[in-house]
Amino acid sequence: MKPGILLLADGTCFEGEGLGPDASALGEAVFYTGMTGYEEALTDPSYAGHLLTFTYPLIGNYGISGTAAQHKHACVSGAIIKQIARRPSHHESKNDLPSWLIEQGVPALTGVDTRSVTIAIREHGAIHAILAVGEQAIASAEKDLAKSVREATTVGLVASVATQTVETYPGAGPHVIVIDCGVKRAIIRELTRLGARLTVMPYDTPAQDILDRKPDALLVSPGPGDPTDLPQTIEMLRELLGKLPIYGICLGHQLLALACGARTYKLPYGHRGGNQPVKNLLSGSVLVTAQNHGYAVDGASLPADLEATMVNLNDGTNEGFRHRRLPIETLQFHPEASPGPSDAAAFFSRWLTAIA
Amino acid sequence: MKNHAVSNSATHRRSVLVIGSGPIVIGQAAEFDYAGVQACRALREEGCRVVLVNSNPATIMTDCEVADAVYLEPLTVASLEAIIKRERPDALLPTLGGQTGLNLAVELSESGVLDRYNVELLGTPVKTIKLAEDRAQFKEAMLAIGEPVPASTIVTEIESGVAFAADYGYPLVIRPAYTLGGTGGGVVYSEEELRETLQRGLEASLIHQALVETSLLGWKEIEYEVIRDRADNCIIVCNMENIDPVGVHTGDSIVVAPSQTLSDREYQMLRSASINVIRALNVQGGCNIQFALHTERSEYQIIEVNPRVSRSSALASKATGYPIAKIATKIALGKTLDEIENPVTGVTKAAFEPTIDYVVVKVPRFPFDKFPHADTRLGTQMKSTGEAMALGRTFEAAFVKAVRGLDLGYETLTGTATQKRSDNEIDNILCVPTHERLFAVAEALRRGRSVESIAQASTIDPFWLYKFADLVALEERLRAADNDADRRQAVEFGYGSLGIARLVGKEPAELEPAPSFRMVDTAGAEFPARSRYYYLSRGERDEMQVPEKPAVVVVGSGPIRIGQGIEFDYSCVHAAWALQKAGRAAVIINNNPETVSTDFDISNVLVFEPTGPDEVEAAYRATNAAGVMLAFGGQTSINLARELSRRGVRIIGSDQHSLDMAEDRDKFDLALERLGIARPKGQSATSFDQARTIASELGFPVLVRPSYVLGGRGMEIVYNPGQLASYIETAPPITPGAPLLVDKYLRGLEVEVDAVFDGDDILIPGIFEHIERAGVHSGDSISVYPTQTVSAALEKRIVDVTRAIAAELGTRGLINIQFVVHKGELYIIEANPRASRTVPIISKVTGINLVAAATRVALGEKLRNMEYGTGLIPRMPFVIVKVPVFSFAKMRGVETILSPEMKSTGEVLGIDPTFEGALRKGFIAAGFRFTDEAHRGRLLVSICDEEKEESLDTLRRYAAYGFTLVATDGTHRRLADAGIPSERINKIAQGSPHVLDAITSRSVNLVINNASGQREISDAYRIRRASVDAGIASLTSLDTAQALISALESTSGPPHSLQEYLRDTIAGKTAQGLSQTTIGVIKDVDAHVQVPV
Ligand SMILES: Nc1ncnc2c1ncn2[C@@H]1O[C@H](COP(=O)(O)OP(=O)(O)O)[C@@H](O)[C@H]1O
Ligand SMILES: Nc1ncnc2c1ncn2[C@@H]1O[C@H](COP(=O)(O)OP(=O)(O)O)[C@@H](O)[C@H]1O
Ligand SMILES: [Mg+2]
Ligand SMILES: [Mg+2]
């Protein structure tokens, strides 16, 4: 058994069993409350730069299928797990989670009191941390963490997971350009399944390049980090306002808010899981949603042109808005689910119908 | 339906009728008391007046504190209509009383009663209820919304079932419509089985209809608990995975929450399907959906939908902390999920899905320890009486604790009785599951059988088998060599000191890692919660918030089993309430998910753990408790006294010394001798020869029972040496360590008292008299309060003796004593220093809260300073009759004759100004149908020789009442001699048409058969069994038969609420001077005084 620790910037230390080669990983310690969907979460680009704690204690039970992945590789910096399954059982399983994490080079800490980790994060707020595996990494963890805290930045997270080239997906329906800030495969799959023709473009594509392709609509994808780290993208969106229908999900929603003149801010410890209740202010109905974000749009800062459409029932934060005149609509949560509930899946077809 | 906004009730206090689920039977247990109590509290929170009807007196919902008007009346349409007519409720909430409540609501609606009295049906509409219940309509509806269901056909006669089989082949599943717990259903593998099962199923169905369905055996069985409001908002509270695949009823399966082997895609697929279904059905409230999920194809089929709260919803509520019944009630009143507060966090709304950071395991509790001859195979028909649940930070911990919590003596998975089975037997159990399968799996693993091979035989998913294999390996390692690492691992995995001691051969000094209490908060720690609901983990951070007030621990009674049922939950809950009133913080420890006591709203701290010494001690220390109360949790908690005292845990109430004196036969005998109180003579035998000698010295009949044998054979009366020999043949071996107790059997009236003693004064609210003579277990006999045939002098003697015993034993709190009056002499059968089955009943009908009195005594208060009075309390001017209810239809192969061994699962109460009226209501509530057609029919009698003479008067009354008596030779001749006409019928050996034919063809509709025989093979047994299986009432004691004819000959009064009975009585009593409280004084009130209507 190899020792491992999770050391938080406030000095709190959790001990467990280290998984994988001796190494350490730095990042913001966060927790995910979904009871299933670890493969999706570990490969979700929005988790880039994060040390992900699973609040559910048994992770890896049904193995790794490969087909549930949301990105070509694992995106988290490290994983913190109470009990990892070494002998999964599922007809789709191609690999067990511990082996896969090692293959992916993701250090992990297991046998940890994850509930206490979660409480520490909740009480402190999102916090920098280091996950160290092996004696050596543990010995230097404190020093490494201090250095990393000094240099901490979210800049570059999007670039680390977003496409740098243009990718296209055929379809008979409307042409949608997806601005990739760290898009999930489920979004691509959902849109193509509904017949859309997709062009996936880098997050720093100039507005004119987009207009040149004459899309029917633009979808700004989710992604990791602070939206204010992407001034180029915000500028691009500002130029496109009024020129074509624009939709945004998660980071995309925040970027659009900024482009329209609203403000964003960092949540105390984010929303990450599949059980967040969101009220649709237009219909009055409640959706149970999949979420994964550390930043949010300040509902009070929405300019007169924007109308809040969705609100989180737990903490009252903004979960979506629409433009009063222009075909602009956004969602903070993930209608593509994966992982999580698909209560909001209908948004994709609604958007496609609206532009068809 | 109309949806009144709740605010409308501001002007008029809305009155809502709630129907309970009646007596506890297999398939319908305490979960509906839990749901009902929550519902009543929620209704009152919303300002409604609650009218409650339930015939079950052991429930908490039938307390005057819980509802505004409590009717302990039969759950029949006629009785409900009379209550509706009196109370004129504005609305009816039908979905909280289980299948019974639901069926009644449908009948009330269809018979026009609801319309006639303008009663609005709240929540899920009748149309939905019917749609979900009618298997044919349900399937059509599912196919219409694109949800898959297994191919099937609805049949109303056998031949169409046979035709379906010709197309689809075997195995097939038979599922009767409108039944409880799958009564009458099953899997069939051949035409012969099909015919037999189908016949039984059609007979069990309320509408004589059954579904013949293609088999889903071996698929994963998954359940979802869904809630929907009128605004169409839907949430999933919890999903659950059965370790036993489809084919074993979920009630009998080991169930895990949340699902463990489903991928997110599968989880979400079934979640979406659940919402699709609940929307299509227009459910408003809670709903349970059962799925079968294919293990290789991620394809699913819908098994069943229950549009009401259920056993599973109780489990889901306890598993997550989300109070489904409460929320469903508010939804029924018109609220939406986003308007209702989440009671756990206090800040968020009810519109969210709980997420948990622990694993929950439920293990069923079967009654087979009592009925070793029963058919123990598990199938689509439920057989368990209760369940134990546990929470753990790992599956292993939750599972081990759940198994330990069964109170069956299992502390480890290996080394159980199953270890004695041959490989062949083990293999059989793996393939054809019985209650023992879990241990057969463990034993197979121990013998080195591979996971793959066990998976193949049992169709249990390897995921679970690997977990079991790890546990078995851990146990084997500890057995081979005690070592620290494995010991710590075992402690983390939920093993207790007893289990570890068994494995390593010595008692561990202390369990390491140390206990740490974790909070159940519905949110995986995402939000700070104000929950007081905890479970135990090891070596983690302790989250226990020590109550500000001095705490007292109340030990609960664990899973419901025959002999220890819901009545102890009643006592625990009242103890908690009494503690709170006395300014203490109540800490409840219990592991039964069905109960009210494990509702975190009841106590200040709920510890959801098995009630073993380790866990009780941990709860006591973690809460800094002043003491532990053991008297309310039944015999199992009393049994903890010695070990807890040894560990220095303070027991409050009767102390260890006092409990021991009551429990230890020799010490108790000495105490009685000192007091000069008689008890039936008896001795323990350590060999067969000695038993025979003792028996002949005492003189037959004698009552025999093995001492302290878990899962052993019960008590029996034997009339001669031959019977003694055959008893001993099948009993566990007699050894000096496990002697056989042989008592003189004394025939006579059995009476029972419950009392509270404080060291100076005694409080006896009343004395019960049994209808059946001693020899029928007190739990199985009909009992009556106030006594009808006991003289004032005898009552005085009972009071004096009770007081003397309580004083001698040093009782501080409750004591329950059973007596037999033999030839005018009073003998004591046993004294239980604890709560009993009769405590809730006597408390309710006298208005004297015995548990509260006992709790206050335990805290040091004196009875004379309380409001209850002392001595024997004057009798109430009305009569109550408790009638036992059995679940024999679900216990195939079980002998039904009443005996000293308890067999009933529940009970009902009849309450009326007259004895006969109360008796009549009691029988009706217990399910006897008093219609001319059913009861002026044909009565099959078969009376044992000893009682032929005595039976004549009773049988003459049946004949005079209009029954045609049908009898076999002996009885027929004796009847003829006495001038009572009867038809002769063949015994089985005399050839067809014989008695069994008459029963199966239902050409008789009542059976009186009291002949005891060579049990499972005798004619008498077969007659009784056939009657139960055919749904024909069968009486096995002449005393019961006499009571029934008295009930038939009489009439009963209109319904009154308990509040009315008590109010009228208190008013009357004060006039007569309630202050007469001198010990032993009996007020001679005429038992037949009419209550003014
Ligand atoms: N088609 C089927 N094939 C095999 N087993 C079945 C089938 N349908 C139901 N069962 C089993 O029978 C049990 C009882 O069936 P269910 O419809 O849930 O009745 P109940 O009303 O008694 O709950 C289920 O829990 C399941 O294990
Ligand atoms: N000596 C006896 N004579 C007659 N009946 C007895 C005698 N002992 C026990 N019984 C009958 O057996 C029943 C159960 O015996 P009891 O000692 O009360 O056992 P339990 O602990 O199961 O309640 C009693 O209710 C009574 O009817
Ligand atoms: Mg069912
Ligand atoms: Mg008894």
Side-chain angles (χ1 to χ4, degrees):
Chain A
M1 177 183 142
K2 184 179 282 192
I5 61 160
L6 175 72
L7 177 65
L8 306 186
D10 69 354
T12 319
C13 186
F14 297 91
E15 289 172 24
E17 186 173 339
L19 183 84
D22 287 16
S24 58
L26 290 150
E28 186 180 320
V30 295
F31 58 84
Y32 165 75
T33 64
M35 297 182 286
T36 51
Y38 53 85
E39 182 175 359
E40 290 88 337
L42 292 166
T43 55
D44 183 339
S46 294
Y47 280 116
H50 289 91
L51 297 172
L52 186 59
T53 307
F54 289 91
T55 62
Y56 189 67
L58 274 63
I59 299 297
N61 297 356
Y62 51 87
I64 292 288
S65 67
T67 58
Q70 295 303 311
H71 193 71
K72 50 187 181 291
H73 54 70
C75 296
V76 298
S77 305
I80 297 125
I81 291 166
K82 168 79 182 170
Q83 191 191 46
I84 196 163
R86 289 169 199 283
R87 284 160 313 193
S89 169
H90 198 275
H91 67 96
E92 285 181 315
S93 173
K94 304 257 174 0
N95 203 350
D96 62 274
L97 178 59
S99 309
W100 181 83
L101 283 171
I102 292 169
E103 274 171 30
Q104 294 284 319
V106 175
L109 188 66
T110 68
V112 203
D113 179 357
T114 44
R115 180 170 169 86
S116 295
V117 174
T118 304
I119 293 173
I121 295 171
R122 182 187 83 205
E123 285 173 351
H124 185 281
I127 183 169
H128 240 72
I130 185 166
L131 191 166
V133 174
E135 306 287 0
Q136 243 187 328
I138 292 174
S140 67
E142 207 172 326
K143 195 166 63 18
D144 294 346
L145 177 61
K147 179 163 178 283
S148 140
V149 168
R150 279 195 305 276
E151 294 166 2
T153 174
T154 45
V155 173
L157 285 178
V158 166
S160 74
V161 288
T163 181
Q164 270 140 41
T165 57
V166 174
E167 295 160 18
T168 59
Y169 297 84
H175 176 208
V176 177
I177 290 187
V178 177
I179 296 298
D180 180 8
C181 307
V183 74
K184 286 162 67 185
R185 281 180 179 162
I187 292 178
I188 307 289
R189 196 177 305 129
E190 202 50 27
L191 288 169
T192 46
R193 190 179 63 84
L194 292 167
R197 176 159 72 87
L198 299 186
T199 307
V200 180
M201 303 185 75
Y203 70 96
D204 51 1
T205 306
Q208 195 53 49
D209 288 8
I210 291 167
L211 290 173
D212 287 349
R213 289 178 190 260
K214 299 200 166 35
D216 296 308
L218 190 67
L219 173 72
V220 192
S221 87
D226 185 341
T228 59
D229 290 345
L230 304 175
Q232 250 180 307
T233 317
I234 298 167
E235 188 47 42
M236 171 257 281
L237 290 173
R238 201 171 285 141
E239 279 175 45
L240 293 176
L241 290 178
K243 302 204 171 114
L244 75 173
I246 312 181
Y247 303 105
I249 297 175
C250 197
L251 183 67
H253 148 84
Q254 296 160 9
L255 291 167
L256 267 164
L258 291 167
C260 293
R263 277 191 311 273
T264 58
Y265 64 104
K266 191 167 164 78
L267 289 168
Y269 51 90
H271 298 163
R272 293 175 187 88
N275 67 339
Q276 298 275 337
V278 168
K279 185 160 183 156
N280 182 331
L281 296 169
L282 306 176
S283 69
S285 68
V286 179
L287 299 170
V288 179
T289 65
Q291 302 209 0
N292 171 12
H293 61 113
Y295 293 81
V297 171
D298 178 358
S301 75
L302 292 183
D305 273 347
L306 300 188
E307 177 187 15
T309 52
M310 302 274 169
V311 65
N312 188 304
L313 277 179
N314 284 342
D315 61 5
T317 53
N318 179 271
E319 292 281 358
F321 60 80
R322 67 178 182 189
H323 200 283
R324 292 190 199 273
R325 291 173 291 109
L326 305 175
I328 291 175
E329 192 176 6
T330 68
L331 299 173
Q332 174 61 70
F333 52 85
H334 293 260
E336 79 283 4
S338 311
S342 38
D343 283 8
F347 276 96
F348 289 109
S349 47
R350 229 188 68 196
W351 289 342
L352 289 182
T353 318
I355 58 173
Chain B
M1 70 159 245
K2 301 164 280 177
N3 268 305
H4 297 293
V6 186
S7 52
N8 286 2
S9 61
T11 41
H12 159 71
R13 188 160 169 236
R14 218 161 156 206
S15 127
V16 179
L17 176 67
V18 175
I19 307 180
S21 67
I24 305 290
V25 288
I26 289 178
Q28 210 166 253
E31 62 269 19
F32 298 108
D33 194 26
Y34 163 61
V37 169
Q38 248 185 30
C40 292
R41 296 176 93 180
L43 286 168
R44 292 171 99 186
E45 231 174 81
E46 298 295 329
C48 299
R49 175 173 193 274
V50 178
V51 179
L52 176 85
V53 189
N54 193 355
S55 54
N56 184 343
T59 51
I60 292 150
M61 57 158 36
T62 52
D63 262 346
C64 288
E65 285 102 321
V66 175
D68 298 275
V70 173
Y71 284 87
L72 277 161
E73 296 284 336
L75 293 173
T76 61
V77 170
S79 148
L80 260 303
E81 176 163 9
I83 292 164
I84 289 172
K85 198 169 155 193
R86 292 194 78 219
E87 292 283 346
R88 298 306 302 261
D90 299 305
L92 165 63
L93 188 55
T95 45
L96 292 146
Q99 198 61 52
T100 305
L102 216 51
N103 290 352
L104 261 175
V106 170
E107 285 177 60
L108 286 169
S109 161
E110 302 210 315
S111 60
V113 174
L114 298 187
D115 282 346
R116 199 145 58 239
Y117 296 99
N118 204 8
V119 182
E120 179 196 0
L121 202 62
L122 295 179
T124 300
V126 163
K127 191 162 154 266
T128 301
I129 298 173
K130 293 193 66 189
L131 188 65
E133 270 308 311
D134 184 310
R135 307 256 187 207
Q137 281 187 40
F138 173 71
K139 294 214 165 196
E140 239 171 74
M142 289 302 101
L143 293 173
I145 57 166
E147 293 294 347
V149 285
S152 64
T153 179
I154 302 292
V155 303
T156 52
E157 40 79 44
I158 293 168
E159 292 317 315
S160 9
V162 176
F164 180 81
D167 291 341
Y168 287 89
Y170 294 92
L172 292 170
V173 176
I174 315 294
R175 310 167 72 200
Y178 276 97
T179 66
L180 284 180
T183 311
V187 181
V188 296
Y189 293 86
S190 66
E191 181 171 333
E192 193 193 341
E193 285 178 8
L194 173 74
R195 286 180 181 278
E196 192 199 315
T197 308
L198 201 48
Q199 160 140 24
R200 215 174 51 227
L202 290 173
E203 281 158 6
S205 166
L206 211 69
I207 53 173
H208 203 77
Q209 189 195 78
L211 187 83
V212 179
E213 186 171 79
T214 51
S215 154
L216 300 168
L217 290 175
W219 294 39
K220 291 182 188 177
E221 186 153 4
I222 312 287
E223 292 179 80
Y224 276 68
E225 292 301 320
V226 203
I227 295 186
R228 176 174 174 271
D229 66 20
R230 75 185 152 92
D232 205 21
N233 298 317
C234 301
I235 59 147
I236 306 294
V237 174
C238 178
N239 87 337
M240 291 171 270
E241 176 170 3
N242 293 8
I243 292 184
D244 299 278
V246 176
V248 174
H249 196 280
T250 54
D252 287 353
S253 294
I254 301 175
V255 176
V256 182
S259 62
Q260 301 296 329
T261 72
L262 269 57
S263 67
D264 187 60
R265 279 182 291 206
E266 289 170 328
Y267 181 102
Q268 304 303 343
M269 168 179 77
L270 297 183
R271 181 186 177 281
S272 299
S274 302
I275 293 177
N276 194 17
V277 169
I278 192 174
R279 288 202 163 125
L281 292 180
N282 188 20
V283 170
Q284 291 171 33
C287 178
N288 158 265
I289 307 182
Q290 284 163 245
F291 294 98
L293 180 68
H294 197 277
T295 53
E296 297 299 325
R297 298 198 298 269
S298 297
E299 170 192 322
Y300 71 91
Q301 305 266 344
I302 294 177
I303 297 178
E304 191 198 22
V305 173
N306 292 305
R308 54 173 170 84
V309 300
S310 61
R311 183 182 47 260
S312 300
S313 72
L315 188 62
S317 292
K318 300 294 165 66
T320 59
Y322 191 103
I324 295 177
K326 177 178 185 165
I327 305 298
T329 303
K330 298 207 166 179
I331 287 174
L333 288 174
K335 286 204 164 184
T336 56
L337 283 164
D338 53 324
E339 293 170 352
I340 305 170
E341 173 185 282
N342 171 356
V344 177
T345 60
V347 285
T348 54
K349 294 298 177 190
F352 81 110
E353 299 195 347
T355 188
I356 62 182
D357 55 8
Y358 46 84
V359 182
V360 180
V361 177
K362 172 218 90 173
V363 184
R365 174 68 155 84
F366 295 97
F368 304 134
D369 52 326
K370 260 185 169 309
F371 305 118
H373 298 283
D375 178 354
T376 60
R377 286 170 303 173
L378 306 182
T380 59
Q381 179 178 324
M382 187 168 157
K383 294 187 172 178
S384 61
T385 56
E387 55 198 24
M389 181 181 106
L391 296 77
R393 290 278 286 153
T394 58
F395 167 77
E396 291 85 346
F399 176 73
V400 169
K401 289 196 289 181
V403 172
R404 286 179 46 221
L406 287 173
D407 271 331
L408 283 167
Y410 297 120
E411 292 290 330
T412 53
L413 304 183
T414 56
T416 64
T418 309
Q419 195 162 340
K420 298 199 189 78
R421 297 209 180 266
S422 69
D423 284 349
N424 227 333
E425 285 174 317
I426 298 274
D427 195 50
N428 276 337
I429 300 174
L430 293 182
C431 301
V432 184
T434 69
H435 65 299
E436 212 185 317
R437 178 152 79 168
L438 149 67
F439 301 102
V441 167
E443 183 55 19
L445 287 163
R446 200 188 63 85
R447 290 183 196 176
R449 199 162 158 180
S450 74
V451 160
E452 293 70 29
S453 134
I454 297 173
Q456 192 152 34
S458 64
T459 69
I460 294 175
D461 195 285
F463 178 81
W464 311 111
L465 296 174
Y466 282 122
K467 296 271 182 201
F468 297 147
D470 286 348
L471 290 170
V472 167
L474 177 65
E475 291 185 8
E476 289 288 277
R477 281 200 307 276
L478 276 171
R479 254 195 210 103
D482 187 7
N483 69 87
D484 243 34
D486 286 329
R487 226 200 239 198
R488 289 181 70 86
Q489 178 74 93
V491 171
E492 280 173 0
F493 280 173
Y495 288 87
S497 29
L498 187 54
I500 293 177
R502 276 187 203 159
L503 290 171
V504 303
K506 61 171 184 287
E507 188 81 18
E510 207 171 322
L511 294 187
E512 289 285 342
S516 43
F517 285 91
R518 309 299 331 240
M519 189 189 276
V520 172
D521 62 9
T522 72
E526 182 173 5
F527 305 104
R530 57 175 193 201
S531 155
R532 299 153 305 190
Y533 178 4
Y534 301 90
Y535 65 97
L536 197 52
S537 114
R538 291 273 171 178
E540 294 190 326
R541 164 172 157 173
D542 191 285
E543 297 178 71
M544 176 67 75
Q545 290 168 358
V546 178
E548 279 158 24
K549 296 177 177 163
V552 173
V553 179
V554 178
V555 178
S557 60
I560 301 239
R561 69 211 81 166
I562 292 173
Q564 189 165 307
I566 184 176
E567 61 276 8
F568 294 103
D569 204 58
Y570 165 92
S571 294
C572 290
V573 168
H574 275 281
W577 284 341
L579 284 170
Q580 289 166 341
K581 274 197 198 119
R584 307 298 202 285
V587 179
I588 287 184
I589 175 166
N590 196 8
N591 69 342
N592 183 341
E594 303 170 346
T595 55
V596 181
S597 68
T598 51
D599 185 335
F600 64 84
D601 259 358
I602 295 293
S603 50
N604 300 80
V605 172
L606 168 65
V607 173
F608 205 108
E609 284 294 317
T611 56
D614 300 326
E615 289 79 11
V616 174
E617 184 188 355
Y620 166 80
R621 303 212 183 280
T623 55
N624 270 334
V628 170
M629 303 222 266
L630 301 175
F632 306 112
Q635 194 57 38
T636 48
S637 61
I638 289 290
N639 291 347
L640 289 169
R642 185 181 308 240
E643 177 61 15
L644 288 177
S645 303
R646 197 183 66 77
R647 295 176 181 217
V649 173
R650 181 161 169 249
I651 292 163
I652 58 177
S654 300
D655 63 13
Q656 146 66 6
H657 172 74
S658 160
L659 298 177
D660 192 49
M661 213 191 318
E663 295 289 307
D664 184 301
R665 228 174 123 87
D666 295 334
K667 290 184 190 158
F668 186 59
D669 277 352
L670 282 175
L672 291 182
E673 225 164 86
R674 281 196 296 275
L675 298 172
I677 298 168
R679 60 157 305 204
K681 282 203 173 48
Q683 244 179 303
S684 43
T686 52
S687 71
F688 176 34
D689 278 346
Q690 201 189 352
R692 209 167 29 194
T693 318
I694 295 171
S696 62
E697 275 170 23
L698 293 172
F700 285 95
V702 291
L703 197 136
V704 286
R705 66 181 110 174
S707 69
Y708 310 112
V709 182
L710 266 171
R713 273 266 310 289
M715 228 180 296
E716 235 172 80
I717 302 168
V718 296
Y719 288 88
N720 52 53
Q723 280 182 3
L724 182 62
S726 74
Y727 175 87
I728 286 169
E729 222 165 83
T730 47
I734 308 172
T735 65
L740 185 76
L741 306 180
V742 185
D743 281 342
K744 173 77 189 153
Y745 168 65
L746 298 179
R747 199 167 174 170
L749 177 73
E750 186 163 344
V751 292
E752 182 165 1
V753 290
D754 290 293
V756 173
F757 187 66
D758 68 4
D760 296 320
D761 290 315
I762 194 139
L763 163 63
I764 303 181
I767 302 175
F768 281 93
E769 158 180 351
H770 293 187
I771 292 287
E772 289 84 359
R773 274 158 286 193
V776 171
H777 193 278
S778 52
D780 288 352
S781 51
I782 300 179
S783 54
V784 185
Y785 162 85
T787 53
Q788 303 295 305
T789 67
V790 176
S791 71
L794 189 57
E795 283 213 340
K796 175 160 175 9
R797 170 92 181 125
I798 292 169
V799 171
D800 290 346
V801 167
T802 302
R803 186 182 197 291
I805 292 176
E808 183 67 20
L809 296 180
T811 302
R812 293 291 178 277
L814 282 165
I815 185 162
N816 160 271
I817 307 183
Q818 288 146 41
F819 299 97
V820 53
V821 185
H822 179 69
K823 302 198 170 135
E825 271 300 308
L826 189 69
Y827 295 82
I828 174 161
I829 298 176
E830 66 164 350
N832 297 309
R834 54 162 168 83
S836 75
R837 205 167 298 108
T838 35
V839 160
I841 305 180
I842 198 73
S843 297
K844 262 170 219 178
V845 303
T846 59
I848 293 172
N849 191 330
L850 267 191
V851 172
T855 306
R856 290 164 66 179
V857 164
L859 293 176
E861 255 186 273
K862 287 291 180 188
L863 283 168
R864 60 170 68 111
N865 298 327
M866 299 182 205
E867 64 275 28
Y868 308 111
T870 57
L872 178 63
I873 301 303
R875 6 171 102 211
M876 302 300 270
F878 53 85
V879 183
I880 59 154
V881 172
K882 178 215 83 174
V883 181
V885 172
F886 302 84
S887 300
F888 288 139
K890 305 230 175 57
M891 296 186 208
R892 301 187 64 72
V894 168
E895 164 64 284
T896 67
I897 195 166
L898 296 182
S899 75
E901 186 65 34
M902 181 166 163
K903 292 171 178 149
S904 61
T905 51
E907 62 208 6
V908 291
L909 204 71
I911 176 166
D912 198 75
T914 69
F915 166 61
E916 288 79 9
L919 202 52
R920 186 178 171 90
K921 281 185 180 173
F923 274 112
I924 293 174
F928 286 78
R929 266 164 294 178
F930 281 19
T931 61
D932 287 350
E933 164 234 345
H935 280 276
R936 273 176 215 181
R938 292 157 62 79
L939 164 65
L940 177 69
V941 279
S942 167
I943 307 290
C944 65
D945 288 343
E946 301 87 49
E947 297 189 0
K948 281 211 166 73
E949 192 55 43
E950 200 190 325
S951 71
L952 294 175
D953 282 346
T954 302
L955 296 179
R956 189 172 284 119
R957 283 165 73 188
Y958 276 95
Y961 185 74
F963 277 96
T964 305
L965 272 49
V966 182
T968 49
D969 281 331
T971 311
H972 172 69
R973 250 179 282 123
R974 190 66 195 80
L975 287 170
D977 289 349
I980 305 168
S982 67
E983 288 175 17
R984 199 202 74 92
I985 189 164
N986 276 355
K987 290 189 174 171
I988 302 172
Q990 292 168 322
S992 278
H994 54 57
V995 276
L996 281 192
D997 300 323
I999 293 167
T1000 37
S1001 66
R1002 289 189 166 82
S1003 65
V1004 295
N1005 32 27
L1006 180 65
V1007 174
I1008 300 177
N1009 175 324
N1010 72 348
S1012 73
Q1014 292 295 322
R1015 78 189 106 256
E1016 279 64 23
I1017 42 165
S1018 73
D1019 276 16
Y1021 164 80
R1022 289 173 67 188
I1023 289 174
R1024 287 190 285 267
R1025 220 30 260 189
S1027 331
V1028 166
D1029 294 338
I1032 297 171
S1034 118
L1035 307 180
T1036 68
S1037 150
L1038 269 187
D1039 298 327
T1040 325
Q1042 196 187 342
L1044 179 64
I1045 187 67
S1046 301
L1048 282 165
E1049 289 164 351
S1050 64
T1051 55
S1052 52
H1056 291 280
S1057 70
L1058 201 51
Q1059 279 89 346
E1060 289 171 294
Y1061 275 113
L1062 290 177
R1063 203 182 307 126
D1064 293 346
T1065 306
I1066 301 296
K1069 262 207 264 187
T1070 354
Q1072 296 165 24
L1074 182 67
S1075 52
Q1076 264 194 327
T1077 52
T1078 338
I1079 297 156
V1081 168
I1082 299 155
K1083 279 211 72 0
D1084 249 331
V1085 180
D1086 181 359
H1088 298 265
V1089 173
Q1090 299 282 324
V1091 170
V1093 177

